[in-house]
Amino acid sequence: MIPRPYQRDAIESAMEHLARGPSTRIVQATGLGKTTQFCWIAERFVARGRVLIVADREELLDQARDELYAVTGIRADLERAKHVASDGMFKSPVVLTSIQTQRSGSNGDRRWHKFDPFEFSLIIIDEADLACADSYREMMAHYRQNPSLKVLGVTATPNRHDGKTLNGMFGSVAHDFRIFDGVKEGWIVRPKQKYLDVELNLDGAGYSLGDFKGKELREILAAGDTIERIASGAIQWAEDRKSIVFCDSVENAGRMAEAFNRSALGSAYIVTGKTPKDERPGIIDRFRASGFQWLVNVGVCTRGFNVPDVRCIVLARPTLSATLHVQMIGRGTRTLPGVLDGIDDADVAGRRAAIAASAKPSLLVLDVVGNCAKHSLATTADALGGTYSDAVVALADKMIRESAVPVDVLDAIEQAQDLHNAEIQRRAKERGALRLHAKPSARDIDPFAFYGIEQSRDDFDNGEPMQDWQREKIEGWKLKHVSNLTARDADRIIAEYRRRGRNDLLTIKQEAVLRRYGYDASNMPYERAHAIMDALARNGWKPLKGARA
C-alpha cells in the first residue's frame, strides 16, 4: 500500500514535529485514512521501543489491529478487558488498549502500572479530541515518567465542543486536512444538503458544555408531530439511500424508528448506549450488508463507524457544536471502495469525475430548520467552510435553507463568496475607498493575504512563537513579512509549500508576483508560472500584452 500525497505530508510532518518536540497531532477529516497513517508512523518507531495505541472504543481498536497488520505485517498485542498483552520474550512491539482498560483497577494499582514507561517510544491516541479528560491525563502522567516518550494524537475534530483546549496534551499541529480540503482535492464525496420543512423554536433549550441541554432539547423535539415530520421528510428525499439517522435521545430515537417502520416494516433499527452489547454488532452487521435502510442511533455512530456505502445522513437533532456536526456528516463522506484506484495522485479532476460517475456521487445531508436567537446552530456549511469567512458561510447556509431542492454545499459556498466579493467592491466604490495602489507599511502586512494563503476560520493557535527549525525553513524560501509568525502560522505556510509541491503548482512567491500583474494564479501549474515570469523578465518586468491567465 502506497500513501497518498496528503498522507505522505502528514507522516513526514509528524515525524519532523516529533523529532523536535515531545508531542504533536494530525487533524484529518473522516474517510481520509488516519488509521493507516498512524500505523505507518508506528512502524517507524518500533525500532526505538514499543508503541502503545490508545482508543476509547472497541471498534477503533479492532480497526487499528486489522490495519496495522495489513500495512506493516505487525501483529499487535491487545490489552483490553480479559485480553492481556504478552510481556515475555515474544511480546509484540505494538500494544493496543482502551483508555477504560488502562484506568481500570484501584488508584494504587491501575492497569497501566503493569507497563514499564521506559519500554515505550511512542503513544498514539486515536480520537485525540478526548484527551483532555482526567482519565487520559492520569494515564499520561504514568507513561511520561519516560522523558524520551513521544505522543501523537489523531482526530477529525480538533476543537472540543466544551471549549477545552488540547494544547496542554499536544504541543503542535503537524498536519491539518479537513472535509473542505478532502472534497476540493477529490478524496471524499461532495455533501449536498436539504433542510427539511420542520420549524423548531429552540430558544427554550438551555445551554451547557457547548451544546443544548439534553432534557430540554428532548422535550422540544418530542412535542407534537415533530419526529414524524422529520421521518416523513427523510423518506421523501432519501428515497432508497442507505441512511444513518442521528437522534438526541433514546425516547425520540424510538419514535423515529417507529415512524420509519410504519412506512416500511423492518426498514429501521436502533442502536444506542442502552442496546445490549451482544446485540449491537449484529444490528450493525445487518446494516452494513444492506439488510435495512435506516440505522437510527444515539451517540453510537459518531466515532469509529465505517460503512462506505452510506449515502444519506439525517440530522434529527439540532446542535450548537461544530465538532459534533462534523462527526455526524463525516459518517457518510467516504467514497465507495475502489472508486479512486488507479488514478494518478496529481489528477484531481480525474478523482472528482470518478466519484461523480460512481454509485455514490454525493452525500445527501438532511437537516431540520431551527430558530435560535440566543446561539448559532452548527451547519454543514460550517463544516465545509474551511478558509471562508463567517459572512460567506452564513450567506451560503441561507441559500441552502431557501432552496427547494438539495444543494451542493461547496458550490453554494463558492457562489456566496462571489456574491460577497461583489458586494464589498460595490460598497467600496460607493464610498470612493477602493484604493488599488495604496502601499501599507511592512508591519501592517498580513503575510497570508500578501501571498494568497488561505487561513482556517476555526484555528487553534495558542500564540506560541515560531520555532527555530520553522524559521530556518521559511527563511530559506526568502519570503517577506514572516518575522512575527506564530508556530501555528509557520505550520500552515510549510504545509502550503508541501501541498503546492506535491501537485506541481506554482510557488508562493511566484503567485505573489503574478497576482500583482493581474493573473489569477491560485492553481496555476509551476511550469506555466515559470514561463510567464521568464516572459515578464524579458519584457523588463513590464505587463505583458494579452489576456491574463
Side-chain angles (χ1 to χ4, degrees), residues 197-366:
D197 186 19
V198 181
E199 289 284 350
L200 294 173
N201 187 343
L202 297 164
D203 285 334
Y207 174 84
S208 177
L209 297 176
D211 209 346
F212 294 114
K213 288 184 177 179
K215 179 176 182 293
E216 294 165 6
L217 179 61
R218 181 175 71 247
E219 291 174 350
I220 290 171
L221 289 168
D225 64 348
T226 298
I227 297 294
E228 288 72 21
R229 292 177 65 192
I230 294 173
S232 176
I235 291 167
Q236 175 188 351
W237 289 103
E239 299 177 320
D240 63 349
R241 293 175 176 87
K242 181 183 287 189
S243 305
I244 299 177
V245 185
F246 289 93
C247 291
D248 69 298
S249 63
V250 175
E251 295 86 349
N252 287 337
R255 277 183 60 186
M256 185 71 68
E258 289 175 2
F260 286 127
N261 285 325
R262 279 195 297 272
S263 174
L265 187 63
S267 64
Y269 284 81
I270 304 173
V271 286
T272 74
K274 294 185 177 181
T275 304
K277 282 193 173 183
D278 59 340
E279 293 181 14
R280 186 191 297 182
I283 295 172
I284 292 174
D285 286 345
R286 286 176 57 203
F287 180 69
R288 185 174 280 111
S290 299
F292 58 93
Q293 180 179 1
W294 309 95
L295 182 62
V296 182
N297 84 104
V298 181
V300 172
C301 299
T302 51
R303 298 177 185 272
F305 191 86
N306 182 358
V307 180
D309 60 341
V310 167
R311 295 194 295 135
C312 177
I313 299 293
V314 182
L315 304 178
R317 56 141 306 145
T319 180
L320 302 172
S321 169
T323 293
L324 177 58
H325 199 98
V326 167
Q327 288 172 338
M328 292 188 292
I329 65 173
R331 296 309 105 194
T333 53
R334 297 177 191 273
T335 61
L336 294 175
V339 167
L340 302 181
D341 290 354
I343 300 175
D344 188 88
D345 284 345
D347 189 1
V348 175
R351 287 195 296 274
R352 290 177 178 171
I355 293 171
S358 74
K360 182 183 174 181
S362 61
L363 169 70
L364 178 61
V365 180
L366 299 176

Side-chain angles (χ1 to χ4, degrees), residues 56-72:
D56 75 315
R57 296 196 177 190
E58 292 183 10
E59 296 89 346
L60 294 172
L61 293 175
D62 291 341
Q63 288 175 23
R65 177 194 59 204
D66 296 344
E67 194 70 9
L68 182 71
Y69 181 70
V71 302
T72 71

Side-chain angles (χ1 to χ4, degrees), residues 417-432:
Q417 179 69 73
D418 290 341
L419 293 171
H420 184 68
N421 289 345
E423 178 64 13
I424 289 174
Q425 295 251 350
R426 184 188 67 78
R427 291 179 181 178
K429 287 178 180 177
E430 286 180 354
R431 295 193 305 266

Side-chain angles (χ1 to χ4, degrees), residues 90-111:
F90 300 105
K91 60 188 175 186
S92 172
V94 178
V95 177
L96 291 162
T97 188
S98 68
I99 184 61
Q100 296 86 349
T101 296
Q102 285 286 298
R103 198 171 186 271
S104 63
S106 59
N107 283 333
D109 189 27
R110 300 290 191 192
R111 190 91 163 242

